[in-house]
Amino acid sequence: MLSIKQKEVTMTKPLDIDSLFRGSNPSFAKSYLTQALSKAKRIRQDYEFRSYTMNDDRRTIRRHHIELMKKFTLSVACLVFFFIGAPLGAIIRKGGLGMPLVISVFLFIFYFIIDNTGNKMARDGRIEVWEGMWLSTFVLLPLGIFFTYKAVNDSALFNRDAYTNFFRKLIGRSETRKLEVKEVVMNEVEIPEALSMIDGLIAKCNEFMNRYKGRQSYIDYWTQGYNRRELHTISADLEHTVDYISNSRNRIIILKLMELPVMKSLWFYHPTNYKWLGWLCAAMFPIGIPLYIVGTRTQDKLKEEIHHIITTCSELASLLTVDTEDTDN
C-alpha cells in the first residue's frame, strides 16, 4: 500500500499556546496546569530516586576499587618502609632505642595520616580511587629514595655535629683558644723564624685592612664581598704561627697566644660566589636589606678580629724579642 505524502500545513500566523487557555473553560485550564505540575513532580522524583540509586552504586563500586587497590598499595608500602627503615638503621649510628624509635613512630604516624586522608577522599569521590590509595606511596617513596641515597653515600644526615657546624658557619660563634705549656717539646722555637712568621702574618692582615677600609655598599656587598681565599690564607697562617710558637716554654708567651682569636669562615663575609647571582640577590632590594645589615656587621666584627690579631702579634713579637735578650744574657 502506497503512502500518500500529505501537504505541509502552512500557518498564516504563529501558534499562540495561551489561546488554548483563553478559549476553553477556566476549570479545564486549571486542570491542565495541575496535571502538568504533577507530571513534572513525578519526573523530578523519578530522577532523584535514580540519582540516589546511582550514588549508592558508585559508592559501592568505589569501595570495591579501594579494596582492589589495597592489595597492591599495602605490598608496595612494605617495600617503601623497607627502603626507609634500612637506610635509617645505617644512618643513625647510635645504640639503644631512643632516636630510631622516635623517627620510626613519627614516620608511621605520618604514613597513617596520609593514607587515611587519601582513603577518605577516594571513598567520598573527591578524587580518583587510584590517586587516593596511592597518595601515601607517592609521598613516602621519594623519602625512601632520599634516605637510601644518603645511606649509600655515608651521609651524616642525623648527625647533630653536622648541623651545628652548618649554623656555626652561617652565623658564627666566638671560640677561645686553650693552650698549655708543653712538658715535652719536640721542636724548639727558633726566635728569628717565629718573628718572620709573625711579620708575614701582620703584613697580610694590614694588606687586607687597607683593601677593605670602609663599609661596603649594598651592591658591592652582594657582588664582591670579602675575598674568602685571602681570609683562608690569613687563617691558615695564623694557625700555623700559633702551632709553632706554642712550643715555647715561656708561660707569658703561651698566655699571649691564647688571646689570638680563632678566625671563622662565615657565609656573610661573601654571600655569593658568582657575580650574576650577586646581582640577582641585589635586585631583591627589600629582602636583601636585612641580610646586608647583618652581613656588614659581621664584616665589621671580622675587621675587629684582624685588628686584634695585628695588635696581639706585635705584642707577641716584643715578648719574643725580650725572651731572646734574656736568653742571651
Side-chain angles (χ1 to χ4, degrees), residues 98-115:
M99 182 64 70
L101 181 61
V102 171
I103 296 177
S104 300
V105 172
F106 172 76
L107 288 176
F108 176 75
I109 294 175
F110 183 64
Y111 165 79
F112 183 77
I113 293 174
I114 295 178
D115 186 64

mmCIF file of all heavy atoms in Angstrom, residues 98-115:
data_model
loop_
_atom_site.group_PDB
_atom_site.id
_atom_site.type_symbol
_atom_site.label_atom_id
_atom_site.label_comp_id
_atom_site.label_asym_id
_atom_site.label_seq_id
_atom_site.Cartn_x
_atom_site.Cartn_y
_atom_site.Cartn_z
ATOM 1 N N GLY A 98 66.376 5.018 71.406
ATOM 2 C CA GLY A 98 65.935 6.412 71.515
ATOM 3 C C GLY A 98 65.598 7.044 70.193
ATOM 4 O O GLY A 98 64.434 7.152 69.799
ATOM 5 N N MET A 99 66.605 7.495 69.464
ATOM 6 C CA MET A 99 66.394 8.193 68.202
ATOM 7 C C MET A 99 65.729 7.318 67.145
ATOM 8 O O MET A 99 64.784 7.765 66.473
ATOM 9 C CB MET A 99 67.727 8.738 67.686
ATOM 10 C CG MET A 99 67.631 9.538 66.402
ATOM 11 S SD MET A 99 66.652 11.057 66.589
ATOM 12 C CE MET A 99 67.757 12.016 67.609
ATOM 13 N N PRO A 100 66.150 6.050 66.922
ATOM 14 C CA PRO A 100 65.451 5.234 65.911
ATOM 15 C C PRO A 100 63.970 5.041 66.201
ATOM 16 O O PRO A 100 63.142 5.072 65.289
ATOM 17 C CB PRO A 100 66.215 3.902 65.950
ATOM 18 C CG PRO A 100 67.554 4.239 66.497
ATOM 19 C CD PRO A 100 67.320 5.345 67.477
ATOM 20 N N LEU A 101 63.626 4.846 67.482
ATOM 21 C CA LEU A 101 62.223 4.639 67.828
ATOM 22 C C LEU A 101 61.399 5.896 67.574
ATOM 23 O O LEU A 101 60.281 5.832 67.048
ATOM 24 C CB LEU A 101 62.106 4.212 69.292
ATOM 25 C CG LEU A 101 60.685 3.925 69.797
ATOM 26 C CD1 LEU A 101 60.079 2.776 69.001
ATOM 27 C CD2 LEU A 101 60.701 3.607 71.283
ATOM 28 N N VAL A 102 61.944 7.037 67.926
ATOM 29 C CA VAL A 102 61.216 8.297 67.722
ATOM 30 C C VAL A 102 60.962 8.537 66.239
ATOM 31 O O VAL A 102 59.846 8.874 65.817
ATOM 32 C CB VAL A 102 62.005 9.468 68.351
ATOM 33 C CG1 VAL A 102 61.378 10.802 67.958
ATOM 34 C CG2 VAL A 102 62.039 9.338 69.859
ATOM 35 N N ILE A 103 61.976 8.354 65.423
ATOM 36 C CA ILE A 103 61.827 8.590 63.985
ATOM 37 C C ILE A 103 60.878 7.573 63.363
ATOM 38 O O ILE A 103 60.062 7.912 62.497
ATOM 39 C CB ILE A 103 63.209 8.561 63.303
ATOM 40 C CG1 ILE A 103 64.068 9.713 63.828
ATOM 41 C CG2 ILE A 103 63.074 8.644 61.797
ATOM 42 C CD1 ILE A 103 65.460 9.736 63.275
ATOM 43 N N SER A 104 60.957 6.318 63.796
ATOM 44 C CA SER A 104 60.069 5.288 63.249
ATOM 45 C C SER A 104 58.609 5.579 63.579
ATOM 46 O O SER A 104 57.729 5.475 62.718
ATOM 47 C CB SER A 104 60.466 3.918 63.795
ATOM 48 O OG SER A 104 61.791 3.599 63.453
ATOM 49 N N VAL A 105 58.340 5.959 64.820
ATOM 50 C CA VAL A 105 56.965 6.283 65.212
ATOM 51 C C VAL A 105 56.460 7.507 64.443
ATOM 52 O O VAL A 105 55.312 7.553 63.977
ATOM 53 C CB VAL A 105 56.888 6.509 66.732
ATOM 54 C CG1 VAL A 105 55.520 7.048 67.131
ATOM 55 C CG2 VAL A 105 57.168 5.208 67.477
ATOM 56 N N PHE A 106 57.316 8.491 64.293
ATOM 57 C CA PHE A 106 56.918 9.695 63.560
ATOM 58 C C PHE A 106 56.582 9.367 62.103
ATOM 59 O O PHE A 106 55.569 9.831 61.563
ATOM 60 C CB PHE A 106 58.043 10.730 63.617
ATOM 61 C CG PHE A 106 57.805 11.923 62.743
ATOM 62 C CD1 PHE A 106 56.914 12.911 63.119
ATOM 63 C CD2 PHE A 106 58.478 12.048 61.534
ATOM 64 C CE1 PHE A 106 56.682 14.010 62.296
ATOM 65 C CE2 PHE A 106 58.263 13.141 60.714
ATOM 66 C CZ PHE A 106 57.362 14.118 61.098
ATOM 67 N N LEU A 107 57.400 8.535 61.457
ATOM 68 C CA LEU A 107 57.139 8.183 60.066
ATOM 69 C C LEU A 107 55.870 7.345 59.925
ATOM 70 O O LEU A 107 55.120 7.511 58.948
ATOM 71 C CB LEU A 107 58.342 7.423 59.492
ATOM 72 C CG LEU A 107 59.591 8.258 59.227
ATOM 73 C CD1 LEU A 107 60.734 7.385 58.747
ATOM 74 C CD2 LEU A 107 59.315 9.353 58.208
ATOM 75 N N PHE A 108 55.617 6.453 60.896
ATOM 76 C CA PHE A 108 54.394 5.652 60.816
ATOM 77 C C PHE A 108 53.157 6.538 60.998
ATOM 78 O O PHE A 108 52.162 6.367 60.274
ATOM 79 C CB PHE A 108 54.404 4.562 61.889
ATOM 80 C CG PHE A 108 53.141 3.756 61.922
ATOM 81 C CD1 PHE A 108 52.888 2.797 60.953
ATOM 82 C CD2 PHE A 108 52.185 3.965 62.911
ATOM 83 C CE1 PHE A 108 51.715 2.057 60.966
ATOM 84 C CE2 PHE A 108 51.014 3.230 62.935
ATOM 85 C CZ PHE A 108 50.778 2.275 61.956
ATOM 86 N N ILE A 109 53.191 7.464 61.936
ATOM 87 C CA ILE A 109 52.051 8.384 62.119
ATOM 88 C C ILE A 109 51.852 9.224 60.865
ATOM 89 O O ILE A 109 50.715 9.465 60.424
ATOM 90 C CB ILE A 109 52.281 9.263 63.359
ATOM 91 C CG1 ILE A 109 52.262 8.398 64.629
ATOM 92 C CG2 ILE A 109 51.229 10.349 63.457
ATOM 93 C CD1 ILE A 109 52.605 9.160 65.889
ATOM 94 N N PHE A 110 52.948 9.672 60.283
ATOM 95 C CA PHE A 110 52.878 10.455 59.046
ATOM 96 C C PHE A 110 52.228 9.637 57.925
ATOM 97 O O PHE A 110 51.349 10.122 57.201
ATOM 98 C CB PHE A 110 54.290 10.888 58.659
ATOM 99 C CG PHE A 110 54.358 11.751 57.440
ATOM 100 C CD1 PHE A 110 53.779 13.008 57.410
ATOM 101 C CD2 PHE A 110 55.006 11.296 56.299
ATOM 102 C CE1 PHE A 110 53.838 13.805 56.285
ATOM 103 C CE2 PHE A 110 55.069 12.079 55.166
ATOM 104 C CZ PHE A 110 54.485 13.333 55.158
ATOM 105 N N TYR A 111 52.640 8.367 57.793
ATOM 106 C CA TYR A 111 52.053 7.488 56.778
ATOM 107 C C TYR A 111 50.579 7.218 57.071
ATOM 108 O O TYR A 111 49.737 7.216 56.154
ATOM 109 C CB TYR A 111 52.833 6.170 56.733
ATOM 110 C CG TYR A 111 52.111 5.062 55.999
ATOM 111 C CD1 TYR A 111 52.102 5.003 54.603
ATOM 112 C CD2 TYR A 111 51.433 4.065 56.700
ATOM 113 C CE1 TYR A 111 51.434 4.000 53.931
ATOM 114 C CE2 TYR A 111 50.770 3.052 56.032
ATOM 115 C CZ TYR A 111 50.765 3.027 54.658
ATOM 116 O OH TYR A 111 50.105 2.030 54.000
ATOM 117 N N PHE A 112 50.239 7.007 58.348
ATOM 118 C CA PHE A 112 48.856 6.700 58.723
ATOM 119 C C PHE A 112 47.929 7.865 58.395
ATOM 120 O O PHE A 112 46.825 7.669 57.879
ATOM 121 C CB PHE A 112 48.813 6.383 60.223
ATOM 122 C CG PHE A 112 47.451 5.984 60.722
ATOM 123 C CD1 PHE A 112 46.946 4.718 60.490
ATOM 124 C CD2 PHE A 112 46.663 6.898 61.417
ATOM 125 C CE1 PHE A 112 45.688 4.359 60.938
ATOM 126 C CE2 PHE A 112 45.414 6.552 61.875
ATOM 127 C CZ PHE A 112 44.920 5.277 61.635
ATOM 128 N N ILE A 113 48.372 9.077 58.671
ATOM 129 C CA ILE A 113 47.542 10.255 58.401
ATOM 130 C C ILE A 113 47.318 10.428 56.899
ATOM 131 O O ILE A 113 46.192 10.654 56.430
ATOM 132 C CB ILE A 113 48.183 11.511 59.014
ATOM 133 C CG1 ILE A 113 48.166 11.422 60.545
ATOM 134 C CG2 ILE A 113 47.461 12.769 58.552
ATOM 135 C CD1 ILE A 113 48.909 12.543 61.233
ATOM 136 N N ILE A 114 48.387 10.312 56.117
ATOM 137 C CA ILE A 114 48.255 10.490 54.668
ATOM 138 C C ILE A 114 47.398 9.382 54.063
ATOM 139 O O ILE A 114 46.549 9.628 53.190
ATOM 140 C CB ILE A 114 49.651 10.524 54.016
ATOM 141 C CG1 ILE A 114 50.427 11.749 54.503
ATOM 142 C CG2 ILE A 114 49.539 10.565 52.499
ATOM 143 C CD1 ILE A 114 51.821 11.825 53.957
ATOM 144 N N ASP A 115 47.596 8.130 54.517
ATOM 145 C CA ASP A 115 46.835 7.017 53.962
ATOM 146 C C ASP A 115 45.350 7.152 54.275
ATOM 147 O O ASP A 115 44.492 6.920 53.404
ATOM 148 C CB ASP A 115 47.382 5.709 54.522
ATOM 149 C CG ASP A 115 46.730 4.499 53.875
ATOM 150 O OD1 ASP A 115 46.907 4.313 52.658
ATOM 151 O OD2 ASP A 115 46.028 3.750 54.586
#
